[in-house]
Amino acid sequence: MYCLQWLLPVLLIPKPLNPALWFSHSMFMGFYLLSFLLERKPCTICALVFLAALFLICYSCWGNCFLYHCTDSPLPELAHDPGVVGT
């Protein structure tokens, strides 16, 4: 399970509030994961644990899934809030 120490922090990187940066963020994360999988070749158990965690985060629609944006997520309204931008 040594290889999970490089995969689990990827799930903690927050999604940007600006909707214009979502595509760039998802492309960066996708290329990072692809290059990690090709270079490090993690064991099957680590890959399955990571994919299960990624599936659960994206399925729950907490707003941190980098693959797509959930329709129920409140991020677009918060992106235009001056109180959020000013902090």
Side-chain angles (χ1 to χ4, degrees):
M1 294 282 202
Y2 173 74
C3 47
L4 273 180
Q5 76 177 3
W6 296 103
L7 285 174
L8 290 181
V10 172
L11 299 177
L12 300 175
I13 296 175
K15 194 178 205 178
L17 285 178
N18 189 353
L21 298 175
W22 288 344
F23 179 74
S24 301
H25 178 74
S26 63
M27 291 299 292
F28 172 75
M29 298 299 284
F31 282 133
Y32 174 80
L33 288 175
L34 180 67
S35 65
F36 177 82
L37 293 174
L38 291 175
E39 181 185 348
R40 299 284 177 130
K41 296 179 181 65
C43 62
T44 306
I45 295 173
C46 292
L48 289 177
V49 167
F50 177 75
L51 290 176
L54 182 65
F55 173 75
L56 289 175
I57 286 176
C58 290
Y59 184 72
S60 67
C61 280
W62 279 350
N64 201 22
C65 180
F66 61 88
L67 297 175
Y68 60 90
H69 179 69
C70 298
T71 57
D72 298 335
S73 179
L75 280 177
E77 290 83 18
L78 289 177
H80 301 293
D81 186 15
V84 172
V85 175
T87 59

